[in-house]
Amino acid sequence: MPTYRAPRGTRDLLPETKAGFGRLEGIARSLAARYGYREMEIPLFEQTAVFERGIGEATDVVEKELFRIAPRTEDSESWALRPEATAGIVRAYVQHGMQTLPPPVKLTVVGPMFRYDRPQAGRYRQFWQWDVEAIGDAGPAVDAEVIDLGRRFYIEAGVADVQVLLNSIGDSACRPAYLERLKAHFGAHADELPALERRRLETNPLRLLDSKDPVMADLIAGAPLITDFLCEPCRAHFDSVKAHLEAMGVPYRLQPTLVRGLDYYARTAFEFYRSGAEGQQQALGGGGRYDGLVELLGGRPTAAIGFALGLDRVLLAVEETGGPVAVAEPPLAVVAGADPADTVSRLRVAASLRAEGLAVRAELGQRKLARQLESASKEHAHFAVILGDELAEGQVQLKDLEAGTQRLVPLVDLARELARAAKSHHHG
Ligand code: HAM
């Protein structure tokens, strides 16, 4: 057992995994660009109030899972690591006066988030999200566009059969009446409720619908549904979102108990699951409309919608479903030498090739040439550049390790020759 280990719930992304993440991030950035989202960065920590106000004090994320940073004595500010990106992005949107930009302001963030949750497969204390926000458009067309964007990501990432679960959770006009009904329903069985759920009945009754406690299953099944209580504007908005999705050929499944874990949502709410994995608390992503958040964080009333996809979980799903994984690229060439002691020449040739943008490895050991070539073949380098007596005349041997052929090449032409060979190799 090593003395020091990564903190519980965190992961070292070893090169293989990091390459998989890199591939997903590449897809995210490419899609963001195609859909007109601009990438930005926000701090990994914020004033705690940004999360308490933005996400809601009675949510699990704030109540139990916030990584609070111990305050320092010289300043009284209280900070916490970001558990998600939306609150921080909206804080930045307000702070930098982005409401003067033509709406919607389309922003995206890729990076680590922190939640002090109980770790398990696919649930970490530091995890990565691709977050997407469209601020300043009340929809419903942008709702459908955002959902289509999320779904497109899984398709391009190679995760088989991801489903869109869709709901509307109403707004401040219609939700209060629904919450009263919900409270009455669960309140009638208050003594059967587990302690946590009994408390939620007071603090956040909507979350009762998301309880995984088996005791709750029957009660949830019999609970009134928000979609039966939507006011006319919310109903019309929801109908239009569905109509847009249908017209675009984006399949979805209605899930009237889908309520999301953060308080800022209104109207459209959605989650992405692999088919058959809906019950496992393993959403691959989720999002929705948060029309009240900008105002809550000090801006003008501004409609907005977005989502975040969990990259750790997507990568797991790619691996589980046999999707494409990122593989390490071998070097184009290994610079080897007939004189094992002449590391200087090998380093100089390698450096000049790298300066031309080529990926090469220099043989820095003192092994015999045959050994050097053996390991070059083993790591699947395409070429070996062999430095020998001809170096005095400015020439080197260029050995094609796959074809087994070898020829003399002037040093001044080497980079160009290798670049051309690399190109023809990639194209066929
Ligand atoms: P969320 O549903 O809390 O939404 O998180 C989005 C996704 O992040 C989840 O579906 C999951 O894939 C991933 N995720 C969450 N917690 C963990 C964890 N502990 N370990 C691994 N993956 C995790 C939000 O965060 C909202 N900010 C989404 C949003 C953006 N809504 C509007 N705009």
Side-chain angles (χ1 to χ4, degrees):
M1 197 72 138
T3 314
Y4 299 112
R5 303 172 61 87
R8 199 162 116 78
T10 69
R11 20 184 352 215
D12 297 311
L13 303 181
L14 300 183
E16 233 165 78
T17 313
K18 178 63 190 172
F21 265 75
R23 182 180 155 268
L24 295 181
E25 287 176 18
I27 295 168
R29 293 205 166 91
S30 154
L31 274 171
R34 275 180 270 162
Y35 280 72
Y37 288 80
R38 300 185 65 205
E39 191 172 2
M40 68 178 292
E41 294 282 354
I42 48 169
L44 297 187
F45 61 96
E46 297 269 354
Q47 288 172 47
T48 313
V50 170
F51 305 126
E52 287 170 342
R53 279 190 74 78
I55 297 167
E57 293 191 73
T59 57
D60 282 352
V61 167
V62 167
E63 213 173 56
K64 300 193 216 148
E65 298 168 8
L66 211 53
F67 266 96
R68 293 168 194 273
I69 300 172
R72 303 173 65 95
T73 43
E74 63 264 35
D75 53 55
S76 53
E77 275 202 292
S78 140
W79 294 312
L81 297 185
R82 64 184 189 191
E84 55 108 59
T86 311
I89 291 174
V90 168
R91 191 268 310 140
Y93 172 92
V94 173
Q95 179 179 340
H96 301 287
M98 286 193 251
Q99 61 270 20
T100 60
L101 300 174
V105 177
K106 294 157 87 173
L107 303 167
T108 181
V109 163
V110 183
M113 309 294 157
F114 306 86
R115 295 184 192 179
Y116 194 80
D117 203 348
R118 197 167 44 78
Q120 59 179 61
R123 201 205 282 152
Y124 309 102
R125 289 179 173 172
Q126 175 175 341
F127 58 97
W128 275 260
Q129 279 188 348
W130 174 39
D131 184 277
V132 163
E133 313 290 354
I135 307 175
D137 186 327
V142 72
D143 302 37
E145 187 183 54
V146 159
I147 291 170
D148 168 60
L149 169 55
R151 202 180 75 99
R152 178 75 35 203
F153 176 83
Y154 302 108
I155 293 171
E156 298 201 359
V159 192
D161 46 274
V162 169
Q163 281 208 329
V164 180
L165 300 190
L166 182 68
N167 195 20
S168 172
I169 57 167
D171 63 8
S172 55
C174 50
R175 205 183 313 147
Y178 169 69
L179 291 181
E180 284 312 311
R181 289 289 292 266
L182 205 57
K183 271 188 186 170
H185 169 76
F186 287 107
H189 304 269
D191 6 313
E192 301 160 40
L193 299 183
L196 173 71
E197 267 63 21
R198 206 172 314 143
R199 206 158 55 80
R200 275 189 172 151
L201 189 57
E202 298 310 320
T203 58
N204 201 346
L206 210 53
R207 297 295 305 154
L208 289 170
L209 294 174
D210 220 24
S211 171
K212 297 291 177 281
D213 197 311
V215 178
M216 298 290 290
D218 285 346
L219 276 178
I220 292 171
L225 299 176
I226 176 77
T227 38
D228 293 330
F229 291 80
L230 295 180
C231 57
E232 193 36 46
C234 282
R235 151 95 25 229
H237 184 271
F238 193 33
D239 285 345
S240 184
V241 171
K242 289 185 275 186
H244 276 85
L245 289 173
E246 278 151 33
M248 293 170 76
V250 176
Y252 62 86
R253 219 178 76 201
L254 293 178
Q255 177 87 339
T257 52
L258 190 161
V259 289
R260 309 280 298 132
L262 316 164
D263 277 357
Y264 49 61
Y265 290 109
R267 294 194 169 170
T268 311
F270 54 92
E271 280 177 344
F272 299 100
Y273 282 89
R274 264 170 67 199
S275 299
E278 296 90 340
Q280 297 167 16
Q281 239 184 344
Q282 291 286 29
L284 295 179
R289 202 159 255 300
Y290 51 94
D291 293 346
L293 183 58
V294 176
E295 193 180 7
L296 201 62
L297 294 182
R300 287 201 296 266
T302 309
I305 184 166
F307 65 71
L309 311 187
L311 297 184
D312 309 75
R313 290 183 189 174
V314 175
L315 190 60
L316 280 174
V318 171
E319 288 164 359
E320 277 169 26
T321 58
V325 289
V327 286
E329 277 284 313
L332 176 63
V334 170
V335 181
D339 174 7
D342 187 6
T343 46
V344 168
S345 294
R346 298 200 287 278
L347 265 183
R348 284 172 59 174
V349 170
S352 70
L353 294 174
R354 289 162 179 162
E356 296 297 324
L358 301 170
V360 302
R361 179 173 73 77
E363 177 65 45
L364 299 183
Q366 310 267 323
R367 301 183 291 178
K368 289 210 184 86
L369 180 58
R371 288 276 111 74
Q372 299 178 31
L373 295 178
E374 239 169 60
S375 62
S377 298
K378 236 185 228 158
E379 68 190 286
H380 301 295
H382 294 159
F383 296 95
V385 173
I386 304 169
L387 312 186
D389 295 340
E390 315 83 18
L391 196 58
E393 286 96 56
Q395 296 203 308
V396 298
Q397 293 282 352
L398 181 59
K399 185 178 169 86
D400 185 325
L401 292 168
E402 281 165 21
T405 55
Q406 184 170 327
R407 64 197 165 88
L408 267 181
V409 173
L411 205 47
V412 290
D413 295 337
L414 184 61
R416 200 168 352 110
E417 291 267 334
L418 277 172
R420 191 187 311 139
K423 224 172 178 180
S424 68
H425 216 100
H426 280 300
H427 291 291

